[in-house]
Amino acid sequence: MIDLRSDTVTLPTPAMREAIARAEVGDDVYGEDPTVNRLESMAAEIVGMEAAVLVPSGTMGNLAAMLAHCPRGTKAFLGAQAHTYVYEAGGAAALGGIVMTPLRNLDNGELDLDELRDELAKPPDAHFALPGLVALENTHNLCGGTAVELSHMAAVAELAHAHRLPVHLDGARIFNAAIALETTAKKIAETADSVSFCLSKGLAAPVGSLLCGSREFIGRARRMRKMLGGGMRQAGVIAAAGIVALETMIDRLVEDHLNARALAEGLGLVAGLNVRPVKRRTNMVVFEVDGGAPAAAKFAAAMKDRGVLAHARGPSSFRAVTHHGISRRDIDRVVAAAAESAGEVFGD
Ligand SMILES: *Cc1c(COP(=O)(O)O)cnc(C)c1O
């Protein structure tokens, strides 16, 4: 199978398995796992922040961040298409009493700045929940994996900080963003007060995300991690793979971007498929199938028969994600399979 559903399907590399086997470990809830401590220092350094904490998932990283930033009953402003708003089971509202306040997301992943400005201009009237946080996402998953411009992040941060609000960045794929923006993760994180990123997506580690911020903030986030059940004991076995991921898997993401570009170009030539354009493509291609849900279901089945899996994003919309397990030859096979499948569905 050529599995393009997500970069989360990546498997740990042989070097990761070896590092896991050799990992020096201790009880991380006591702060005594040397491998976790090393990974957390590396993570903080990479994004230019004081400290970091290892969490089991990106979802927990974002949730611990929101809980640490926002008192109960305060508003977290975030994009209506944000992963944290759409795909994290409403955790911040359910567990933190946080009023998630969605703002319009533009197609390029940016927030509607006017809407944010209007929200922040509301008087501290007793009718309104007080603002607590502004959250950004880069790369932006639901906006086709596009990298979001640094200038936009800076504009959001300026507004938030003028109102004494912290900014959290969901940087699940921050290294993909850095490549697409021709900059560094540190530069991207500069505008944020906290950032989370995933080891278990394009970087191919089996488990784990890092939440990074000031020493004081990470201290509070550690308590939230414990509260959420994310305090892990000999977590060095996870961290060991994460260290290999940070040391060896970041630079190769550029291959995934080239493959995604080739895939977008190839699928764009197939009659019956419409590839969604993105401002700054990373490792995702979103495309629609003509003819609505029935045609799309037939197309997906025909692709599966030819050994290709994509993620159904809507009734007639699919997402294909390139990653470590996908080669350039696979892309050629996918494009050929798509041409055949579309021929089968729409008739040649
Ligand atoms: C995957 C993802 C997350 C959550 O990560 P998990 O490890 O799957 O919980 C958060 N934000 C974005 C943008 C993501 O793509």
Side-chain angles (χ1 to χ4, degrees):
M1 276 293 182
I2 300 177
D3 193 345
L4 296 169
R5 287 173 303 165
S6 176
D7 46 8
T8 55
V9 303
T10 43
L11 300 174
T13 63
M16 288 179 191
R17 290 181 184 272
E18 208 169 291
I20 289 168
R22 283 199 326 261
E24 205 187 320
V25 296
D27 189 330
D28 180 50
V29 177
Y30 292 163
E32 291 173 3
D33 188 303
T35 310
V36 172
N37 292 342
R38 180 156 167 247
L39 173 64
E40 291 178 346
S41 309
M42 284 174 73
E45 160 92 34
I46 270 182
V47 297
M49 293 200 176
E50 282 176 4
V53 58
L54 173 67
V55 286
S57 66
T59 298
M60 192 185 287
N62 289 332
L63 179 54
M66 307 253 288
L67 293 174
H69 280 303
C70 299
R72 291 186 74 80
T74 59
K75 285 185 189 172
F77 297 106
L78 75 185
Q81 307 292 316
H83 192 281
T84 302
Y85 185 60
V86 178
Y87 284 134
E88 296 175 17
L95 306 176
I98 295 165
V99 184
M100 291 219 260
T101 308
L103 304 173
R104 194 165 76 88
N105 259 130
L106 314 190
D107 284 348
N108 61 9
E110 296 181 0
L111 297 178
D112 185 324
L113 278 175
D114 291 331
E115 221 178 287
L116 178 61
R117 204 173 285 115
D118 289 349
E119 282 287 348
L120 294 178
K122 285 186 179 167
D125 180 302
H127 288 88
F128 303 127
L130 289 170
L133 173 74
V134 181
L136 284 168
E137 183 174 318
N138 204 1
T139 62
H140 201 294
N141 187 334
L142 262 177
C143 291
T146 188
V148 177
E149 302 298 329
L150 290 176
S151 56
H152 175 73
M153 296 186 65
V156 168
E158 198 186 331
L159 261 176
H161 292 156
H163 289 81
R164 298 173 191 282
L165 293 182
V167 174
H168 173 67
L169 171 63
D170 177 355
R173 295 184 181 81
I174 193 171
F175 303 110
N176 296 88
I179 289 170
L181 297 168
E182 299 178 66
T183 183
T184 59
K186 195 179 280 188
K187 194 81 194 151
I188 295 172
E190 212 173 68
T191 49
D193 300 279
S194 59
V195 57
S196 58
F197 66 81
C198 291
L199 300 168
S200 59
K201 291 184 171 167
L203 302 187
V207 182
S209 286
L210 276 307
L211 173 61
C212 313
S214 70
R215 220 176 301 286
E216 185 271 332
F217 170 80
I218 291 301
R220 282 184 285 132
R222 266 182 208 286
R223 170 167 289 103
M224 296 309 164
R225 179 186 70 165
K226 190 76 184 97
M227 192 190 287
L228 296 170
M232 300 177 285
R233 301 297 176 174
Q234 283 71 38
V237 293
I238 289 170
I243 290 170
V244 175
L246 292 183
E247 282 177 344
T248 68
M249 301 299 281
I250 293 177
D251 291 344
R252 65 150 304 286
L253 292 173
V254 73
E255 285 175 43
D256 299 342
H257 293 197
L258 293 172
N259 284 339
R261 189 180 305 172
L263 181 60
E265 282 165 9
L267 294 181
L269 297 175
V270 176
L273 305 185
N274 300 294
V275 174
R276 178 170 160 182
V278 289
K279 179 137 189 239
R280 288 196 187 256
R281 189 175 299 286
T282 57
N283 66 332
M284 294 185 190
V285 179
V286 174
F287 61 96
E288 265 91 47
V289 178
D290 284 345
K298 273 190 222 157
F299 177 79
M303 289 291 272
K304 197 171 175 187
D305 286 345
R306 290 170 176 81
V308 181
L309 295 178
H311 170 74
R313 209 162 220 198
S316 59
S317 159
F318 294 90
R319 182 189 74 172
V321 185
T322 55
H323 53 76
H324 186 233
I326 302 295
S327 66
R328 183 52 223 258
R329 273 191 54 214
D330 289 332
I331 298 298
D332 296 338
R333 286 173 55 199
V334 171
V335 172
E340 285 175 23
S341 300
E344 201 175 289
V345 175
F346 300 109
D348 286 302

